[in-house]
Amino acid sequence: MNTKIAVLLFAFLVFLAAHVADAQRPGKVSRIGYLSQFSGSAGPQSPQMTGFLIGMRELGYVDGKNVAIEYRYTEGKNERLPELAAELARLKVDIIVTETGMAALCAKKATQTIPIVMQVSGDPVTLGVVASLAHPGGNVTGLTAFNTATTGRRMQLLAEAVPNLTHVGVLWDGVSSPVRDREWADVRAAAQPLKVQLFSLAARGPEELPGAFAEAARQHVQAVFMFDVPPLTRDAAAARTAGQALKNRLPMMTHNSWLTEQGCLMSYSGDHFLPEFSRRAATYVDRILKGAKPGDLPVEQPTKFELVINLKTAKALGLTIPQSLLNQAGRVFE
């Protein structure tokens, strides 16, 4: 073999070895920050996290193999959201995934460069998370459960279930914000044509529920309409919230089917589809990891809603649910 051929052969072998090494070298392991408002022990079993991980696996992403997920839990203490969001930002993860719009807002305040995907939120525009649903802009996108029509529908369903309804207490956290102002505007608009008078029942946590329901008694409230107040719906707090309504013999309409299962009268929302929301959030992560910009990905809105009724609670309250409502229910607890 002459020298020229030997040199060419050597060069080819070097080239081949380099490409074989590249082919055998594992791809980049993307780091995903996951910010949960559940407790650490309950988090991995939460519907949202389960749905998200299923969605990721369906797209070929497995934690510990081709992605590494950094989990952070507030342990039910929402005041920890800014701290944990900042911690994930300091880790320079590739994407931050949040379970709520409030968590997404905290993450956005922590970083304007790391993409943020929210699994579900209230009104992300009013909250200030995105510029618009169609064109989010910035570094946040994802899904929202917000739909202005659901507030009016909840109030209408409550009026159908409770005869001669004129006095309704609104259970909320008592903290004014753009989102709360929007919720109040929507519920007032829904109550007006029904000639229903609204009363504020403020409770920032389960320990304030007795005071809120004492106010309901003073105002001769006939039913309760609940806003989204996470400290009253997470984990064991849901049973306490439902229990207070039952103790005070007040039918409650909520946005949360878990509360209905725990003893509230009714719920109307898309929350039964939370695992689906979270599974869909994985598609946003996939697209961003492949180069899409979050600000260019429209925020996805719900298209399916479910009425849930607790007939056991209705019986305890002495209410007869009209057959027309039962026919609309997706689930009935007996």
Side-chain angles (χ1 to χ4, degrees):
M1 181 182 297
N2 61 40
T3 303
K4 186 175 181 180
I5 294 176
V7 169
L8 289 173
L9 181 59
F10 177 75
F12 173 75
L13 291 173
V14 170
F15 173 82
L16 183 63
H19 279 68
V20 169
D22 284 341
Q24 292 176 339
R25 186 180 298 126
K28 176 189 175 184
V29 176
S30 299
R31 298 178 72 200
I32 297 172
Y34 190 98
L35 185 54
S36 172
Q37 284 163 259
F38 282 86
S39 63
S41 59
Q45 290 77 43
S46 73
Q48 285 175 268
M49 186 178 293
T50 299
F52 176 70
L53 293 177
I54 289 173
M56 291 292 284
R57 283 196 295 270
E58 289 174 347
L59 294 167
Y61 299 100
V62 179
D63 186 17
K65 292 187 177 179
N66 53 357
V67 291
I69 302 179
E70 294 281 351
Y71 295 98
R72 294 295 183 275
Y73 306 96
T74 66
E75 305 289 343
K77 300 175 182 177
N78 286 345
E79 62 272 17
R80 296 195 63 206
L81 281 172
E83 165 201 344
L84 297 178
E87 186 176 326
L88 289 173
R90 286 194 299 271
L91 290 175
K92 299 187 185 300
V93 293
D94 296 292
I95 296 176
I96 296 176
V97 176
T98 69
E99 291 183 343
T100 66
M102 182 57 68
L105 180 62
C106 292
K108 182 179 180 180
K109 290 178 179 178
T111 174
Q112 284 76 52
T113 56
I114 298 174
I116 299 164
V117 173
M118 52 189 179
Q119 293 182 14
V120 67
S121 71
D123 181 354
V125 178
T126 301
L127 189 61
V129 179
V130 299
S132 73
L133 299 182
H135 305 285
N139 62 323
V140 183
T141 188
L143 299 94
T144 175
F146 172 72
N147 188 308
T148 55
T150 59
T151 298
R153 185 65 178 138
R154 284 190 195 103
M155 185 59 73
Q156 182 183 4
L157 290 166
L158 183 60
E160 290 180 39
V162 182
N164 305 312
L165 185 64
T166 58
H167 290 59
V168 171
V170 178
L171 183 60
W172 66 308
D173 56 12
V175 180
S176 181
S177 69
V179 172
R180 287 291 182 249
D181 293 345
R182 176 64 179 270
E183 286 181 302
W184 270 106
D186 288 344
V187 76
R188 287 189 184 105
Q192 187 174 7
L194 296 171
K195 295 181 170 43
V196 167
Q197 188 175 356
L198 302 176
F199 299 88
S200 171
L201 309 176
R204 288 170 293 183
E207 68 283 353
E208 296 183 7
L209 283 170
F213 280 91
E215 177 65 15
R218 283 191 292 271
Q219 300 296 346
H220 304 289
V221 162
Q222 299 162 277
V224 176
F225 186 100
M226 186 177 180
F227 285 175
D228 181 13
V229 185
L232 300 181
T233 63
R234 299 290 187 188
D235 302 327
R240 294 179 64 180
T241 301
Q244 280 292 326
L246 274 172
K247 179 181 178 181
N248 289 274
R249 298 190 58 78
L250 286 172
M252 181 185 286
M253 164 59 82
T254 85
H255 61 288
N256 189 312
S257 63
W258 172 238
L259 281 169
T260 306
E261 189 172 347
Q262 293 297 301
C264 289
L265 179 66
M266 306 167 68
S267 63
Y268 180 75
S269 70
D271 79 333
H272 181 52
F273 309 104
L274 272 180
E276 174 64 17
F277 276 52
S278 302
R279 189 183 68 82
R280 290 284 304 153
T283 68
Y284 280 83
V285 171
D286 177 55
R287 293 170 70 181
I288 291 170
L289 288 177
K290 291 176 178 175
K293 295 180 180 179
D296 295 335
L297 301 177
V299 175
E300 190 172 311
Q301 292 180 280
T303 57
K304 297 184 290 185
F305 298 92
E306 181 186 47
L307 170 63
V308 182
I309 300 173
N310 192 318
L311 279 183
K312 184 177 179 181
T313 296
K315 184 178 180 180
L317 297 174
L319 285 175
T320 300
I321 302 298
Q323 188 62 45
S324 59
L325 284 186
L326 293 175
N327 291 342
Q328 298 173 55
R331 284 181 290 162
V332 175
F333 296 114
E334 299 186 74

